[in-house]
């Protein structure tokens, strides 16, 4: 290392960002990277597959110090690389299994670059990035696109997963977490259940989480006022204090592409709606509801009398016959990608029927709408527990991927959610949590201070003689 008067010189900061090439993981990591770069003048290089390059165009345009590093999946026609190419529609955890083939190209790029990276920041499903950081002798920060409660639950479960038996333990107690929360086995995160079922691919996923626990630091897309107890848990589990709550990170400015005519029409319609009068319905980008669920949901929206936006994504080919025509005055159906952050932040949005994926949960919390929780899989039952039971800012509407709720009951939930005279306590708690989220991200707020603290500790780390002590 170069020295000045015998004192080690500070290496120029340069962050290599490695996202999981899945929209729900890629976008929040880019939001975080944008905030890091624009606030602190940190240059970034984002490793991105060519298929995801269009997704980062708005990010690159709004982040002057960021550059893309296109990287390809190994050629599927090559026998030695065919196992690295993910099948179409892979679950994001299984997608991660195919990405360690990126390690060598990234290592070669870093070693030949005139300004090599001094920090690696990667998605939490990419535990193998720890080996890359070790090879480069730089600190790695794991970015958790899940909440602290869910991450702490996974850490507890991975440590005790071998004796976990759904037959003898129908209820799983997380006794190392505050309050010893208990969940039915069916509500345990999917990544753990897949491992317990004996699928060998999921051993790789577990090993990735083990590597995450050895990383230099962790940035979590949450805020202290929402999950302080669980953030303290993570510090205890990881054995250090370098755990930073940096959220909510959602930044529509670094995601926004030019609005389509359809989107313009949607927001013009929203502009004409009364405040807090619209129910927004979306189950994320990966979920494809079965026909019976679609029929029940459509019938409930129609019977509720409430204004609504139903973002069906690419998963619902056929809606209940005639629904759009019968509800044309008070409802809109969005096919494909919906500008969710902007919809939720619109003054007309009043409630959000959500699967409780963490991105959606936190975006709903930040917008101050009443969350109608319908958890289905993954960490969604944990997220629902957090907002429904621990914060009282949400109402349980249904649960389970196979659930087909009674349309009349669900219709009353929709109607009550946008009736300003009902659910006053839930509405007040949702507003208070939104205010806390906004305050956390403002100058001097907890997440603002955490990001500043992270940068200062990084500056100390990459100015020190290497190798880095990851513990």
């Amino acid at each position: 290392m170069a020295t000045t008067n015998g004192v080690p010189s500070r290496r120029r900061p340069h962050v290599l960002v490695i996202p999981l090439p899945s929209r729900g993981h890629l976008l929040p990591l880019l939001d975080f990277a944008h905030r890091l770069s624009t606030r602190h003048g940190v240059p970034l290089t984002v490793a991105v597959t060519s298929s995801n390059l269009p997704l980062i165009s708005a990010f690159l345009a709004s982040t002057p110090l960021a550059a893309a590093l296109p990287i390809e999946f190994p050629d599927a026609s090559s026998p030695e690389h065919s196992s690295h190419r993910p099948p179409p529609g892979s679950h994001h955890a299984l997608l991660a299994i195919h990405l360690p083939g990126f390690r060598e190209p990234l290592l070669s790029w870093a070693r030949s670059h005139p300004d090599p990276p001094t920090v690696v920041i990667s998605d939490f499903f990419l535990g193998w990035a720890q080996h890359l950081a070790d090879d480069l002798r730089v600190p790695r920060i794991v970015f958790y696109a899940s909440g602290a409660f869910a991450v702490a639950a996974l850490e507890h479960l991975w440590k005790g997963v071998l004796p976990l038996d759904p037959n003898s333990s129908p209820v799983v107690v997380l006794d190392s977490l505050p309050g010893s929360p208990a969940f039915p086995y069916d509500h345990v995160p999917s990544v753990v259940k897949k491992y317990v079922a004996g699928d060998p691919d999921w051993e790789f996923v577990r090993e990735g989480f083990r590597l995450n626990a050895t990383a230099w630091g962790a940035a979590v897309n949450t805020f202290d006022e929402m999950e302080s107890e669980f953030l303290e848990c993570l510090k205890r589990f990881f054995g250090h204090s370098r755990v930073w709550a940096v959220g909510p990170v959602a930044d529509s400015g670094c995601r926004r592409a030019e609005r389509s005519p359809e989107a313009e029409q949607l927001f013009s319609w929203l502009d004409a709606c009364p405040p807090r009068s619209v129910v927004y319905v979306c189950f994320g980008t990966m979920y494809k509801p079965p026909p019976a669920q679609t029929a029940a949901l459509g019938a409930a929206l129609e019977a509720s009398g409430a204004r609504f936006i139903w973002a069906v994504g690419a998963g619902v080919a056929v809606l209940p016959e005639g629904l759009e025509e019968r509800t044309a005055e008070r409802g809109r159906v969005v096919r494909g990608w919906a500008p969710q952050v902007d919809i939720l932040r619109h003054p007309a949005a009043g409630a959000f029927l959500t699967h409780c994926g963490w991105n959606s949960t936190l975006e709903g919390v930040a917008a101050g709408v009443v969350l109608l929780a319908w958890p289905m899989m993954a960490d969604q039952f944990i997220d629902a527990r957090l907002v429904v039971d621990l914060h009282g800012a949400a109402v349980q509407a249904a649960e389970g991927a196979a659930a087909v709720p009674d349309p009349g009951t669900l219709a009353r939930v929709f109607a009550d959610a946008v009736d300003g005279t009902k659910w006053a306590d839930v509405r007040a708690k949702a507003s208070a949590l939104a205010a806390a989220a906004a305050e956390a991200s403002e100058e001097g707020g907890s997440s603002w201070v955490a990001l500043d603290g992270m940068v200062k500790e990084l500056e100390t780390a990459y100015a020190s003689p290497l190798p880095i002590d990851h513990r």
Side-chain angles (χ1 to χ4, degrees):
M1 174 177 289
T3 62
T4 303
N5 297 325
V7 178
S9 299
R10 177 171 293 178
R11 298 173 69 189
R12 181 173 183 266
H14 178 191
V15 177
L16 174 61
V17 180
I18 312 176
L20 184 73
S22 168
R23 189 188 292 255
H25 284 243
L26 172 73
L27 293 179
L29 179 49
L30 292 181
D31 289 335
F32 170 61
H34 169 81
R35 187 171 297 180
L36 173 64
S37 181
T38 55
R39 188 188 301 171
H40 292 278
V42 175
L44 308 170
T45 299
V46 181
V48 60
T49 58
S50 57
S51 61
N52 277 332
L53 272 172
L55 289 181
I56 75 167
S57 58
F59 163 79
L60 293 173
S62 63
T63 315
L65 295 179
L69 172 62
I71 189 164
E72 301 299 332
F73 283 108
D75 184 359
S77 65
S78 172
E80 65 270 25
H81 290 143
S82 60
S83 62
H84 292 302
R85 191 172 184 87
S90 291
H91 183 282
H92 51 255
L94 290 182
L95 178 62
I97 293 171
H98 301 271
L99 300 183
F102 290 168
R103 178 180 167 191
E104 286 303 320
L106 288 173
L107 184 61
S108 176
W109 168 84
R111 286 177 170 166
S112 63
H113 198 277
D115 179 21
T118 57
V119 184
V120 170
I121 298 180
S122 69
D123 184 89
F124 70 105
F125 269 112
L126 306 181
W128 57 266
Q130 186 60 49
H131 296 311
L132 174 65
D134 289 342
D135 290 339
L136 296 172
R137 299 168 69 202
V138 301
R140 171 178 173 243
I141 294 175
V142 183
F143 179 76
Y144 288 96
S146 291
F149 187 4
V151 178
L154 284 169
E155 287 299 313
H156 171 98
L157 290 165
W158 287 130
K159 286 179 171 63
V161 75
L162 292 178
L164 194 60
D165 182 351
N167 297 315
S168 61
S169 303
V171 175
V172 178
V173 180
L174 309 179
D175 53 12
S176 67
L177 273 59
S180 297
F183 292 87
Y185 183 80
D186 285 347
H187 294 184
V188 167
S190 309
V191 291
V192 174
K193 290 190 293 186
K194 293 283 189 179
Y195 174 80
V196 171
D199 188 329
D201 281 343
W202 294 82
E203 178 64 47
F204 176 88
V205 175
R206 183 177 185 234
E207 174 63 13
F209 277 88
R210 188 195 68 78
L211 287 167
N212 288 342
T214 71
W216 179 83
V220 190
N221 185 20
T222 189
F223 56 103
D224 282 347
E225 294 79 358
M226 189 173 184
E227 297 195 278
S228 58
E229 290 181 306
F230 301 109
L231 289 160
E232 290 302 314
C233 249
L234 293 180
K235 293 175 184 178
R236 175 163 49 86
F237 288 160
F238 296 156
H240 59 75
S241 62
R242 294 183 298 276
V243 176
W244 299 282
V246 296
V249 300
D251 186 334
S252 60
C254 75
R255 300 184 184 191
R256 185 178 287 125
E258 185 176 347
R259 277 185 180 173
S260 66
E262 292 79 12
E264 291 292 351
Q265 292 174 10
L266 175 68
F267 283 97
S268 293
W269 177 81
L270 275 172
D271 290 342
C273 294
R276 299 300 191 192
S277 66
V278 175
V279 177
Y280 173 60
V281 178
C282 182
F283 295 143
T285 57
M286 295 182 63
Y287 184 67
K288 295 185 178 181
Q293 233 175 49
T294 302
L297 181 51
L301 287 169
E302 184 171 1
S304 71
R307 295 174 177 83
F308 68 88
I309 294 173
W310 186 2
V312 300
V316 179
V318 180
L319 296 180
E321 186 175 356
L323 172 71
E324 291 181 80
E325 292 75 16
R326 292 191 299 272
T327 60
E329 293 300 315
R330 60 180 176 87
R332 292 293 183 272
V333 173
V334 177
R335 292 174 172 81
W337 178 255
Q340 179 163 293
V341 171
D342 288 341
I343 291 172
L344 290 171
R345 290 179 180 176
H346 194 282
F352 178 17
L353 180 66
T354 172
H355 63 317
C356 292
W358 186 247
N359 287 335
S360 292
T361 299
L362 200 55
E363 288 162 11
V365 163
V369 299
V370 173
L371 298 179
L372 309 176
W374 186 344
M376 298 181 181
M377 60 185 74
D379 57 354
Q380 296 162 13
F381 292 99
I382 295 173
D383 300 342
R385 178 77 60 89
L386 179 70
V387 291
V388 173
D389 296 337
L390 299 187
H391 285 290
V395 173
Q396 191 86 23
E399 67 174 34
V404 180
D406 173 67
T409 302
L410 189 56
R412 286 191 292 275
V413 170
F414 291 149
D416 289 349
V418 292
D419 184 334
T421 67
K422 298 182 178 179
W423 294 1
D425 187 47
V426 176
R427 204 176 304 280
K429 289 177 179 177
S431 295
L433 204 54
E439 184 178 345
S441 297
E442 293 171 355
E443 186 169 2
S446 60
S447 295
W448 182 290
V449 170
L451 181 59
D452 287 355
M454 186 194 83
V455 171
K456 288 175 183 175
E457 290 209 46
L458 269 175
E459 288 175 346
T460 300
Y462 64 64
S464 301
L466 300 178
I468 295 294
D469 178 4
H470 292 285
R471 300 299 297 179

